[in-house]
Each structure stands twice: as structure tokens, then as C-alpha cells.
Amino acid sequence: MANQNGTTSPDLREAFLGVYSVLKSELLNDTAFEWTDDSRQWVERMLDYNVPGGKLNRGLSVIDSYKLLKEGKELTEDEVFLASALGWCIEWLQAYFLVHDDIMDNSQTRRGQPCWFRLPKVGLIALNDGIILRNHIARILKKHFREKPYYVDLIDLFNEVEFQTASGQMIDLITTLEGEKDLSKYSLQLHRRIVQYKTGYYSFYLPVACALLMAGENLDNHVAVRNVLIDMGIYFQVQDDYLDCFGDPEKIGKIGTDIEDFKCSWLVVKALECCNEEQKKILFEHYGKVDAADVAKVKAIYNDIDLKGVFAEYENKSYERLTSSIEAHPSKAVQAVLKSFLGKIYKRQK
């Protein structure tokens, strides 16, 4: 049972991990393809490397949300399996995005190990692996949900969210184009657009939408829920931007490089809003440079204008706004789902 602050009970987590093994085994024996030992071994290694390694927040959120929508009724084994399968579809989607993102960003590591495409035998085969990961979602949905009344809605949902995420990634990529580094085009509006599409839909809306469909709901009746979740996704990304600069690398598991990467970060957008002309000049000159001395100059300005304080105020205001949006919702069960999400992320340190 997801408790009030939204953590998943250990037995549901165990059940969830068990479902991964079942789905993997089905995919490795999919009769639509004639397998060889080599191909089966490749896909299995690729799946184990890329799919189950993260925090699994998105996947586990489907079970947590579904359970809260059922208002404490014990879930049947079948319900736990199906909710877990949808959760894993989201983890598969995430793996597909990350495998491709790492190639686009020319990254070195992910989740504390080398990116998949960095492995000697993999290289650009990782592009095809990403396509296979994406196709696995359709195979899982077909095998387990084909007969469900909400099957078409599920397929539509995954297709639409994938389109929104890829489009968000596109805005992000074309905004940080080499040779066109111009801080003046960065604004809160652009930051919001990138985050809404690149992160909000698949990380926050998708798990709850899956649970709502399983519970027999029509997503057209839940636009308000989607809006609150997208808002939460933006708040989550602002926290991420903050932690990238001010977080403890030990806790967050990575060393932030947003300043070096010329990212349209909430911090730089806010800094441009708050600082004087002299400080603005320094930001324009040093933001997006890899040299440690440049980064230090940017961080010094962040400290001079008390960005930590600006963020703390944003965090409190966001929490209040989100809480009142949630409490305006007519359904107590839906409120519980949204509050569980907010409880997971409020004042997080990693």
C-alpha cells in the first residue's frame, strides 16, 4: 500500500520486480520472430542493462495510484500484474528515451555506469536497441491488454505521450544548438514549454493516466488531473535544476553540468530576471563555458542574488498552489493519488 507520503510497500516492489522477469521472458520468446541464441542473449543483456536500473518511480507509481483509486480494496493478483505491466511499459519507454538521449548528448555515464552505447560491442547498435525497446511496449500491451475495453485508449496514450516527449526533446536540442548560444532567448516561458513536453507528460501524467484507464475512467474527464500533474512535473524539474547546481553530488548521484552545457535552467532564467546590468554581462560572458573558472563566476552571481532564497520561496509557493489545486478536486481518491505524488517530491534532496 502506498502510504500518505507516497512510498511503496516492499511486497508491492517485490511483486513489481517479479513482473519484469515474466515480461522479459515473454519478449525473448515472442513468436513473431525466429530467435537465435545470439539474438536472445543480446536483447536480454540490453534489457537488463537499460530497463530495471533506475529508481523505478514512474513504474511503481502506476500500482500506487491504482491502489489509491480502488480506495483501499485489496487488489487481485491479476490487477497487481496488469498495473505492474503498465508500470514496466513506462520504464521501457524511459529506457528507450535515455538510450537515444545519451547518444544525442554524447554522454559518458548514466545511473553510475557507462552509457549503453559506450560499451565496446554496442556503439551505434544502441540506436536500433532503442527502437526495439519502443516496440516492446506495443508487444506487452497486445499480449496483456488486447481484450480490455481500454486497449485502444492505452495505445493512444503511449503514442501521444511519446510524441509530446520527443517534441519537447526537439525544442531542448534546437535551443542549445552549438554556435547559437544566446542567453537572451531563455525565458520562464521557454523553460516551462521544454519541461512540460520533455518530462511532465511521461513522468507525471502517464503513470496516473494508466491507472485511471485501468480503473475504467475516461481520460477526457480528467483534464484537471492532467494539468495538476504537469504543474507538478514543472516543479520537479525546477528542483532538478536547483539540485544540479546546489545539490550534494553524493546524494543526487551525479555531478551537475547545466552551466557548462548552456542548459535553459530555471536558475539562469531567474538570475537574468533578478540581476543588474553588470551581473547580466558576466552571465552572458561565462554561461555555457566548460572552464571551471567560468562556472565559478556564474555560481558567484547565483550566490550574490541569493538564488537559494528565491528557490525556497518558489518551492513554498508551488506547494501551496499545488495543494489548493488538489483539494479543489471532487474525488477524494483522485486527491489521494495527487497528494501521494506531491509527498514524494516536496523538499526532496535527490
Side-chain angles (χ1 to χ4, degrees):
M1 175 73 196
N3 56 27
Q4 204 41 56
N5 72 353
T7 51
T8 310
S9 67
D11 46 341
L12 268 188
R13 197 187 172 91
E14 276 308 299
F16 185 64
L17 289 165
V19 173
Y20 170 73
S21 307
V22 174
L23 297 175
K24 180 174 79 169
S25 155
E26 289 170 354
L27 291 163
L28 294 175
N29 294 288
D30 193 321
T31 54
F33 178 63
E34 271 188 51
W35 294 90
T36 58
D37 288 345
D38 283 352
S39 57
R40 201 176 263 123
Q41 205 180 344
W42 179 275
V43 174
E44 176 161 30
R45 217 182 123 213
M46 184 269 288
L47 289 175
D48 288 343
Y49 198 90
N50 294 296
V51 178
K55 298 187 287 287
L56 309 181
N57 285 342
R58 294 169 184 81
L60 288 164
S61 294
V62 180
I63 318 179
D64 291 345
S65 301
Y66 183 68
K67 200 162 168 101
L68 289 167
L69 289 173
K70 298 303 269 188
E71 304 192 78
K73 284 197 209 64
E74 256 324 291
L75 303 190
T76 66
E77 250 178 73
D78 191 46
E79 285 178 307
V80 171
F81 181 86
L82 291 175
S84 300
L86 289 179
W88 280 113
C89 285
I90 302 175
E91 294 295 336
W92 248 267
L93 186 68
Q94 155 103 327
Y96 151 58
F97 289 143
L98 298 186
V99 164
H100 280 186
D101 276 7
D102 286 342
I103 300 171
M104 290 181 245
D105 296 342
N106 201 25
S107 302
Q108 295 294 334
T109 59
R110 157 86 55 196
R111 295 169 177 167
Q113 57 181 12
C115 300
W116 176 241
F117 83 99
R118 293 279 176 200
L119 298 192
K121 282 189 359 197
V122 180
L124 291 182
I125 299 175
L127 289 170
N128 192 63
D129 290 333
I131 296 169
I132 287 176
L133 286 165
R134 171 60 185 104
N135 279 280
H136 279 168
I137 297 167
R139 307 303 292 166
I140 295 168
L141 293 178
K142 180 180 161 91
K143 181 159 179 70
H144 296 285
F145 296 91
R146 191 148 177 47
E147 304 304 321
K148 301 280 183 232
Y150 53 86
Y151 178 57
V152 174
D153 301 289
L154 271 179
I155 288 178
D156 268 353
L157 174 67
F158 274 88
N159 284 340
E160 187 159 298
V161 167
E162 182 191 356
F163 169 64
Q164 288 165 318
T165 308
S167 302
Q169 171 74 346
M170 172 189 62
I171 317 172
D172 195 19
L173 291 167
I174 64 180
T175 308
T176 51
L177 267 177
E178 273 305 322
E180 293 182 31
K181 289 186 171 174
D182 177 13
L183 262 189
S184 58
K185 63 188 174 188
Y186 284 179
S187 64
L188 274 182
Q189 193 191 355
L190 175 70
H191 180 268
R192 188 187 172 89
R193 265 170 60 78
I194 292 172
V195 174
Q196 174 177 348
Y197 291 104
K198 190 181 163 179
T199 308
Y201 283 99
Y202 96 92
S203 300
F204 285 82
Y205 175 58
L206 183 55
V208 176
C210 285
L212 285 167
L213 287 175
M214 258 191 79
E217 294 286 328
N218 181 337
L219 293 180
D220 294 339
N221 301 337
H222 290 286
V223 177
V225 173
R226 188 191 68 201
N227 293 339
V228 174
L229 286 161
I230 295 304
D231 249 6
M232 245 184 255
I234 291 159
Y235 164 58
F236 179 87
Q237 185 59 49
V238 172
Q239 289 176 315
D240 233 42
D241 292 353
Y242 177 83
L243 292 169
D244 187 273
C245 180
F246 296 113
D248 176 0
E250 286 293 305
K251 275 191 191 150
I252 57 175
K254 59 185 178 194
I255 293 161
T257 56
D258 283 358
I259 296 173
E260 293 93 319
D261 296 341
F262 197 70
K263 279 283 158 61
C264 180
S265 160
W266 183 86
L267 296 175
V268 78
V269 173
K270 269 300 184 197
L272 290 167
E273 264 183 27
C274 301
C275 66
N276 61 35
E277 286 308 311
E278 186 56 38
Q279 292 167 320
K280 197 175 266 187
K281 223 173 101 184
I282 297 171
L283 283 180
F284 268 79
E285 198 178 321
H286 299 283
Y287 197 76
K289 304 232 168 89
V290 290
D291 199 302
D294 292 293
V295 175
K297 287 207 164 96
V298 173
K299 286 193 177 181
I301 286 181
Y302 286 1
N303 287 322
D304 291 345
I305 60 174
D306 188 29
L307 262 190
K308 282 188 175 177
V310 176
F311 170 76
E313 188 188 353
Y314 167 85
E315 178 146 64
N316 291 327
K317 282 217 170 94
S318 298
Y319 186 77
E320 283 169 27
R321 193 186 67 248
L322 287 164
T323 304
S324 58
S325 304
I326 292 168
E327 286 171 354
H329 199 282
S331 153
K332 280 279 183 270
V334 172
Q335 279 195 34
V337 170
L338 297 171
K339 281 186 171 166
S340 127
F341 262 79
L342 188 53
K344 279 180 201 173
I345 62 172
Y346 182 52
K347 297 216 158 152
R348 69 193 176 93
Q349 239 83 68
K350 60 175 186 179

